[in-house]
Amino acid sequence: EKKSLLESFFSFFKSKGEPPEFFAGLEVLVFPIFEKEDAEESRKVVDENLMSCIVKDYLGTVDNSTESSRSEQHRIAMLKLATLLIKHNSKELVAHRKELIKFGWNHLKREDSTSKCYAFVNVCYFLNAYQ
């Protein structure tokens, strides 16, 4: 049930872009699912296809010109999503390490301090998981 909810959520917003409802959905639906599941349950909820979709469609397609036009709310939400994925699904994300560290590192170099803090946490979880 949680798996189909996540798949529906991400496929729906993939076609709609990322309106304010997307961020509200992340906060009330997606983040709690990742935070409450243990590692074994998390693997059942988030499979390789869903992880690839999230990494490629939401985290991996950002270039500098696109990223500069995004709001701080957007950057923080994506950093929180990436951090939760790394924290709970690091073994399953081995194939996406390059995209994940690039994503976190690009945000770490930003000037704005709030998203930079989230990026620091993201990179710390990355290093802890893959070092």
Side-chain angles (χ1 to χ4, degrees), residues 6-121:
L6 289 173
E7 289 171 346
S8 299
F9 178 83
F10 284 109
S11 62
F12 176 78
F13 283 108
K14 182 179 176 182
S15 63
K16 300 281 186 195
E18 295 162 359
E21 294 85 6
F22 174 73
F23 303 111
L26 283 175
E27 290 290 336
V28 298
L29 292 174
V30 178
F31 295 160
I33 288 173
F34 285 127
E35 291 168 351
K36 294 199 187 317
E37 299 303 328
D38 62 13
E40 186 62 36
E41 188 65 28
S42 184
R43 283 186 206 94
K44 294 176 186 174
V45 173
V46 184
D47 63 4
E48 176 60 35
N49 292 335
L50 183 57
M51 279 190 275
S52 291
C53 169
I54 293 169
V55 171
K56 291 178 182 168
D57 296 336
Y58 292 93
L59 306 178
T61 59
V62 177
D63 58 23
N64 289 334
S65 62
T66 308
E67 186 59 31
S68 63
S69 67
R70 291 192 165 161
S71 70
E72 184 176 10
Q73 176 192 20
H74 181 275
R75 290 191 294 271
I76 290 171
M78 293 299 100
L79 283 162
K80 287 170 75 174
L81 178 61
T83 303
L84 286 170
L85 282 173
I86 293 167
K87 184 177 178 181
H88 297 288
N89 299 88
S90 60
K91 291 178 184 170
E92 293 79 10
L93 287 166
V94 168
H96 301 288
R97 286 181 301 181
K98 183 179 178 181
E99 293 96 340
L100 290 168
I101 192 62
K102 185 177 178 183
F103 177 78
W105 194 259
N106 285 340
H107 284 82
L108 197 56
K109 297 186 295 185
R110 295 191 63 80
E111 292 299 319
D112 109 52
S113 62
T114 306
S115 62
K116 195 174 194 174
C117 291
Y118 281 97
F120 184 73
V121 171

